[in-house]
């Protein structure tokens, strides 16, 4: 079965060409539920992929439908949008509270947060500065 282009398509009938019927509200709800289930399955697979190439391909596919990965490395930690998974000491006070690395990527679907990123945060280690 050919993939849909998202535009109204013409269907060849014995009597001529007719426009395809617009999907019903029930069909649209089912499509949205199916999309949501596929996104959840892809996130599950990304978390368990043993190959970086496979995980990357899944991320590319998700990005193609509007679901993007969030890796806030170098940004200031914000507990409202990040989950701290751990800390790493630093002697540089400018790095205090900055995200050192992303442990688990977050994902957003347009404006909807599907999962917040789990990050490691720099914290000033007073004992190392002495």
């Amino acid at each position: 079965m050919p993939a849909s282009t998202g535009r109204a398509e013409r269907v060849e009938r014995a009597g001529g060409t007719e426009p395809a019927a617009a999907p019903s509200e029930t069909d649209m709800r089912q499509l949205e539920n199916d999309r949501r289930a596929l996104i959840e399955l892809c996130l599950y697979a990304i978390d368990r992929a043993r190959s970086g190439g496979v995980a990357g391909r899944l991320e590319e596919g998700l990005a193609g439908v509007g679901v993007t990965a969030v890796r806030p490395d170098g940004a200031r930690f914000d507990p409202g949008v990040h989950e701290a998974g751990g800390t790493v000491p630093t002697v540089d006070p400018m790095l205090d509270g900055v995200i050192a690395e992303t442990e688990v990527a977050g994902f957003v679907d347009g404006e909807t947060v599907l999962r917040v990123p789990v990050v490691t945060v720099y914290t000033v280690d007073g004992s190392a500065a002495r």
Side-chain angles (χ1 to χ4, degrees), residues 64-76:
V65 296
V67 176
T68 55
V70 177
R71 290 186 183 82
D73 298 8
R76 179 120 338 249

Side-chain angles (χ1 to χ4, degrees), residues 3-119:
S4 173
T5 61
R7 291 174 270 163
E9 299 174 12
R10 295 206 159 302
V11 178
E12 295 292 326
R13 304 255 187 244
T17 303
E18 299 175 21
S24 70
E25 190 173 320
T26 301
D27 291 339
M28 291 302 291
R29 272 195 306 271
Q30 185 61 50
L31 287 170
E32 183 59 35
N33 289 338
D34 291 348
R35 179 181 183 273
R36 193 173 304 116
L38 284 170
I39 290 169
E40 288 176 16
L41 181 62
C42 286
L43 294 180
Y44 178 87
I46 285 170
D47 290 344
R48 286 149 184 83
R50 294 180 184 208
S51 161
V54 170
R57 181 61 191 104
L58 286 165
E59 277 190 32
E60 288 173 14
L62 285 171
V65 296
V67 176
T68 55
V70 177
R71 290 186 183 82
D73 298 8
R76 179 120 338 249
F77 177 73
D78 178 351
V81 294
H82 309 123
E83 179 180 332
T87 61
V88 62
T90 182
V91 295
D92 185 349
M94 297 297 291
L95 289 177
D96 191 40
V98 171
I99 296 170
E101 69 177 327
T102 302
E103 295 176 26
V104 179
F107 286 89
V108 295
D109 185 4
E111 298 292 318
T112 304
V113 175
L114 302 175
R115 178 170 80 187
V116 299
V118 180
V119 299

